[in-house]
């Protein structure tokens, strides 16, 4: 099973800052099949990025994904108040596993 | 409107059974596979099961294999998760999610609001 480790566990930033979230896989993720989700308290997850760097429909361009192999990054260029949430990475190259999440707090 | 609505979650005793339902609208189950993902209280996400768009292929997490069965009824636009031999560690919000991507290499592009399953005596 591919284990995904997200860092940091908690990231404290301010609106207007740049956020960089990391997701490291225990082995190479086939074809960079990696997605990112946002989850706000009491809400269901929302797809942000798929295939490591493709933005999902309706996702603002301040969200971007990058990386390959075992190291992936979600970048939020200029944080807005609505962006403070928990973020999960997920690999779908070999079965399906999620990272433990990064809590992005104000 | 494109949406998923789950139902069926409730309090059940250990060893008991439960069937969750997911109503899909705004798209065809013939075009998309469907999955169940769960989230224990205060914890992260755990994939549970997936069924292919054709309904022929199914796949399960090791933690539920042999106890849970995923199925669908395309005419009713419903997806189901039959859960048996329930354990305390199955307590979670269960989300229905639409899959997208490549055969058995799927991400989840649409999620329901979830239904809470509590396993306790």
């Amino acid at each position: 099973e591919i284990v995904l480790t997200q860092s940091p566990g908690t990231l404290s930033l301010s609106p207007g800052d740049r956020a960089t979230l990391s997701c490291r896989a225990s082995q190479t993720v086939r074809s960079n099949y990696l997605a990112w989700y946002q989850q706000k308290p009491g809400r269901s997850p929302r797809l942000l990025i798929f295939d490591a760097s493709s933005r999902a429909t309706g996702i603002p361009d301040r969200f971007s994904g990058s990386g390959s192999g075992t190291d992936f990054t979600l970048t939020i260029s200029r944080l807005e108040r609505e962006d403070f949430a928990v973020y999960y990475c997920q690999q779908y190259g070999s079965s399906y596993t999620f990272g433990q999440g990064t809590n992005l707090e104000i | 409107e494109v949406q998923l609505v789950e139902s069926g979650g409730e309090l059940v005793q250990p060893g008991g059974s439960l069937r969750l339902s997911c109503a899909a609208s705004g798209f065809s189950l013939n075009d998309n596979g469907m999955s169940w993902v769960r989230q224990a209280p205060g914890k992260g996400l755990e994939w549970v099961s997936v069924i292919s768009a054709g309904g022929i292929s199914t796949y399960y997490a090791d933690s539920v294999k042999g106890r849970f069965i995923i199925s669908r009824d395309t005419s009713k636009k419903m997806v189901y998760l039959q859960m048996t031999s329930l354990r305390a560690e199955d307590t979670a919000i269960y989300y229905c999610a639409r899959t997208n991507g490549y055969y058995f290499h799927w991400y989840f592009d649409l999620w329901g609001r979830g239904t809470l399953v509590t396993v306790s005596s």
Side-chain angles (χ1 to χ4, degrees):
Chain A
E1 173 181 298
I2 297 179
V3 175
L4 299 178
T5 301
Q6 293 186 240
S7 61
T10 299
L11 184 59
S12 300
L13 293 171
S14 300
D17 287 348
R18 178 185 185 90
T20 302
L21 286 66
S22 174
C23 177
R24 178 163 290 178
S26 60
Q27 52 189 284
T28 297
V29 177
R30 174 181 171 176
S31 300
N32 297 326
Y33 286 149
L34 188 113
W36 290 92
Y37 302 86
Q38 176 194 67
Q39 187 177 34
K40 296 180 180 179
R43 304 286 297 274
S44 55
R46 175 175 73 144
L47 176 69
L48 300 174
I49 301 288
F50 63 94
D51 293 352
S53 60
S54 297
R55 259 189 309 276
T57 302
I59 301 303
D61 60 7
R62 65 180 182 273
F63 290 90
S64 64
S66 63
S68 64
T70 61
D71 289 299
F72 299 88
T73 301
L74 174 70
T75 301
I76 311 172
S77 59
R78 284 179 57 85
L79 285 166
E80 299 193 4
R81 296 194 77 86
E82 65 199 43
D83 299 335
F84 291 91
V86 178
Y87 291 83
Y88 294 96
C89 57
Q90 175 233 339
Q91 68 81 23
Y92 45 102
S94 174
S95 189
Y96 309 94
T97 52
F98 290 89
Q100 83 281 15
T102 289
N103 180 27
L104 177 57
E105 64 176 23
I106 295 180
Chain B
E1 181 183 3
V2 179
Q3 67 174 358
L4 299 168
V5 179
E6 304 92 335
S7 61
E10 64 182 48
L11 174 63
V12 61
Q13 292 190 339
S17 299
L18 201 59
R19 188 178 83 158
L20 305 183
S21 300
C22 170
S25 57
F27 66 98
S28 171
L29 294 183
N30 289 316
D31 295 334
N32 293 90
M34 296 295 294
S35 195
W36 290 93
V37 178
R38 68 186 180 183
Q39 186 170 35
K43 302 298 183 181
L45 301 168
E46 179 189 16
W47 169 75
V48 172
S49 181
V50 65
I51 186 166
S52 63
I56 295 175
S57 299
T58 59
Y59 191 33
Y60 300 91
D62 288 344
S63 58
V64 307
K65 199 174 296 181
R67 300 189 298 123
F68 291 10
I69 296 175
I70 190 171
S71 62
R72 65 176 203 168
D73 184 330
T74 53
S75 63
K76 294 182 178 179
K77 302 194 76 173
M78 296 291 294
V79 182
Y80 305 102
L81 186 68
Q82 179 68 49
M83 305 186 294
T84 61
S85 302
L86 283 162
R87 308 164 180 168
E89 55 265 36
D90 295 318
T91 295
I93 297 172
Y94 284 73
Y95 295 103
C96 176
R98 185 178 70 180
T99 70
N100 206 331
Y102 323 97
Y103 194 71
F104 272 106
H105 295 289
W106 293 312
Y107 52 90
F108 311 117
D109 70 347
L110 178 69
W111 297 65
R113 290 190 173 187
T115 188
L116 177 62
V117 173
T118 303
V119 183
S120 175
S121 55

